[in-house]
Amino acid sequence: MRWIRALPIKIQPLGSRCCSSYVSRMRYLMNLKEDDELCRRALQSGTVLLYHKLSPLLQRTDRGGYKLPIFQVSVVNGMLEKLGKDAEVINSSVLVGCSDSLLAQFCLEVAELEQNAVEELCQGVFTDLRKAFFLLRSSEVPLVTRGQALLRWHQTHSYCSATGKPTQRNQAGSQRVCHSSGITYYPQMAPVVIVLVSDGERCLLARQPAFPRGMYSALAGFCDMGETVLETLRREVAEEVGLEVESAQYSSSQHWPFPQSSLMVACHATVSPGSSQINLSGAELEDARWFTLQEVQEALQRNSPPRDIKGEANVFWVPPSSAIANQLIQEWANQQLKS
Ligand SMILES: NC(=O)C1=CN([C@@H]2O[C@H](COP(=O)(O)OP(=O)(O)OC[C@H]3O[C@@H](n4cnc5c(N)ncnc54)[C@H](O)[C@@H]3O)[C@@H](O)[C@H]2O)C=CC1
Ligand SMILES: [Mg+2]
């Protein structure tokens, strides 16, 4: 199998920010993770995203859409006071990023507060992250998913897996330490390869029984311990659809919060047109099919999920643009149109 070298990766220009401002932000974040006192001070003048049982707070916009509000710490402190809660709660915030003007951004789990009371005071609604993923602008998605992933990680790592003793976090929440065993734990992600297979004319999409009706996506699978990206890609395609990949090319990557944090590594792959007979593994997929360019183009034009399916099982659609599967499918369609 050939591993076609990807084109050089272009770093997206970040609006009007110049490189030095990017470097300043990254250095500042690095310092906040290492210096508890600096981070504590940054929190006093920082901003906070709110979550209730890991669901982020969203607000309606004037245009009927949704936005992700980020509150000044003073506003959150005021809310805690109104609800009769200890101001110390704010110190459990976890560092999630920083703005262009070096204002530190945190996320805070408020499951101990009454949900309706917080929603009323903050004029928002705590929304399941899967829904928020579709409702928010794509520029807001990385921050909201990162916040949830960090809060979830803290919830599930409060004890050392070697000693069973409680772990202590640093102020930024970028690590937890067990002082008994000396083990330091860092937030984890599971690497996943997602691959769009093509036979030159058509692309292969599949569906799991749990997918919404009519939705097909690219093949995906977790990396096994010790595997390279290419080895995972080759194994997953063989396991799931019984095909032998001929060549592969890296496309891009995405943090995916469901069901736990994954790093999705997105690739294109080809099989030879003479060896494209799908042999489905019953274990995971309920269907896998080759789709023509025209079918794919029609699916890309539909809303995700289409509003007009009204119980029809046969309307084919693909994941929304915020999912990296959509990007792979778009890239394939664009490539087909060019060639
Ligand atoms: N962002 C996107 O566009 C898409 C994302 N995905 C995501 O990719 C991920 C992997 O896809 P699947 O087909 O489900 O993987 P998969 O083909 O590896 O099958 C899942 C099975 O792998 C096993 N497994 C091995 N390592 C695991 C780990 N670290 N965590 C959980 N299970 C593990 C479990 O038995 C699990 O049932 C899923 O989280 C899915 O949500 C899938 C398609 C599109
Ligand atoms: Mg899979």
Side-chain angles (χ1 to χ4, degrees):
M1 178 175 67
R2 285 176 302 140
W3 186 228
I4 299 173
R5 281 198 54 194
L7 296 171
I9 298 171
K10 259 200 190 153
I11 306 285
Q12 293 293 323
L14 303 168
S16 59
R17 292 173 232 163
C18 66
C19 278
S20 62
S21 111
Y22 174 76
V23 170
S24 309
R25 283 197 309 132
M26 294 307 115
R27 289 278 165 88
Y28 182 52
L29 283 171
M30 190 180 89
N31 292 338
L32 291 176
K33 289 178 193 166
E34 284 168 5
D35 185 337
D36 283 357
E37 192 41 47
L38 182 69
C39 192
R40 220 167 274 128
R41 286 203 304 274
L43 176 58
Q44 295 318 313
S45 55
T47 54
V48 183
L49 298 172
L50 296 177
Y51 293 76
H52 192 277
K53 297 187 180 156
L54 298 176
S55 292
L57 187 94
L58 307 193
Q59 282 177 338
R60 293 301 298 240
T61 63
D62 298 340
R63 293 178 169 188
Y66 287 85
K67 66 175 181 185
L68 181 69
I70 181 154
F71 299 97
Q72 296 291 332
V73 165
S74 53
V75 173
V76 179
N77 282 333
M79 178 195 75
L80 291 171
E81 202 179 322
K82 277 191 190 137
L83 296 176
K85 290 289 166 187
D86 192 337
E88 268 299 300
V89 170
I90 198 77
N91 285 326
S92 61
S93 303
V94 173
L95 180 69
V96 73
C98 85
S99 71
D100 291 350
S101 52
L102 301 188
L103 206 57
Q105 297 164 325
F106 295 83
C107 51
L108 177 65
E109 172 61 65
V110 294
E112 285 168 24
L113 307 185
E114 223 244 296
Q115 180 176 340
N116 292 343
V118 181
E119 288 179 338
E120 204 171 301
L121 283 170
C122 297
Q123 297 178 349
V125 185
F126 288 107
T127 309
D128 182 80
L129 189 67
R130 279 193 188 267
K131 276 198 200 141
F133 207 86
F134 294 108
L135 295 173
L136 292 171
R137 284 180 297 147
S138 54
S139 59
E140 295 172 309
V141 166
L143 190 65
V144 76
T145 57
R146 195 180 325 146
Q148 195 222 43
L150 286 164
L151 292 172
R152 182 198 298 279
W153 179 78
H154 279 281
Q155 286 177 8
T156 51
H157 288 78
S158 31
Y159 292 92
C160 173
S161 51
T163 63
K165 300 243 166 80
T167 54
Q168 266 81 46
R169 53 169 279 187
N170 62 346
Q171 183 58 48
S174 58
Q175 55 176 256
R176 299 190 74 97
V177 180
C178 170
H179 292 296
S180 180
S181 64
I183 299 175
T184 303
Y185 294 90
Y186 297 96
Q188 292 159 338
M189 291 190 289
V192 170
V193 174
I194 178 161
V195 53
L196 187 65
V197 177
S198 169
D199 69 351
E201 293 283 307
R202 304 165 298 170
C203 75
L204 194 157
L205 298 169
R207 55 172 282 111
Q208 296 181 8
F211 282 6
R213 185 191 300 217
M215 190 188 90
Y216 282 72
S217 187
L219 302 176
F222 290 95
C223 295
D224 278 349
M225 192 65 85
E227 270 183 341
T228 64
V229 165
L230 189 53
E231 285 164 352
T232 305
L233 184 156
R234 195 176 186 200
R235 175 181 56 74
E236 283 292 335
V237 175
E239 278 179 9
E240 297 192 351
V241 291
L243 296 176
E244 176 87 35
V245 165
E246 234 181 16
S247 69
Q249 185 173 25
Y250 170 76
S251 163
S252 52
S253 63
Q254 178 188 43
H255 170 232
W256 186 247
F258 314 112
Q260 310 253 331
S261 280
S262 298
L263 174 64
M264 307 291 303
V265 180
C267 298
H268 292 276
T270 58
V271 294
S272 91
S275 325
S276 59
Q277 180 68 42
I278 297 170
N279 176 2
L280 205 63
S281 140
E284 189 186 320
L285 300 176
E286 68 174 22
D287 193 20
R289 288 191 218 162
W290 290 104
F291 290 87
T292 62
L293 175 61
Q294 193 184 337
E295 287 172 310
V296 165
Q297 281 179 305
E298 283 167 13
L300 285 168
Q301 311 264 312
R302 290 193 184 106
N303 291 316
S304 307
R307 291 194 194 97
D308 54 352
I309 56 176
K310 295 217 173 82
E312 275 183 62
N314 295 331
V315 177
F316 155 56
W317 56 287
V318 293
S321 56
S322 42
I324 204 161
N326 182 290
Q327 190 184 313
L328 279 175
I329 296 166
Q330 286 275 4
E331 284 171 356
W332 179 81
N334 293 343
Q335 191 58 42
Q336 292 299 110
L337 286 170
K338 271 196 226 152
S339 58

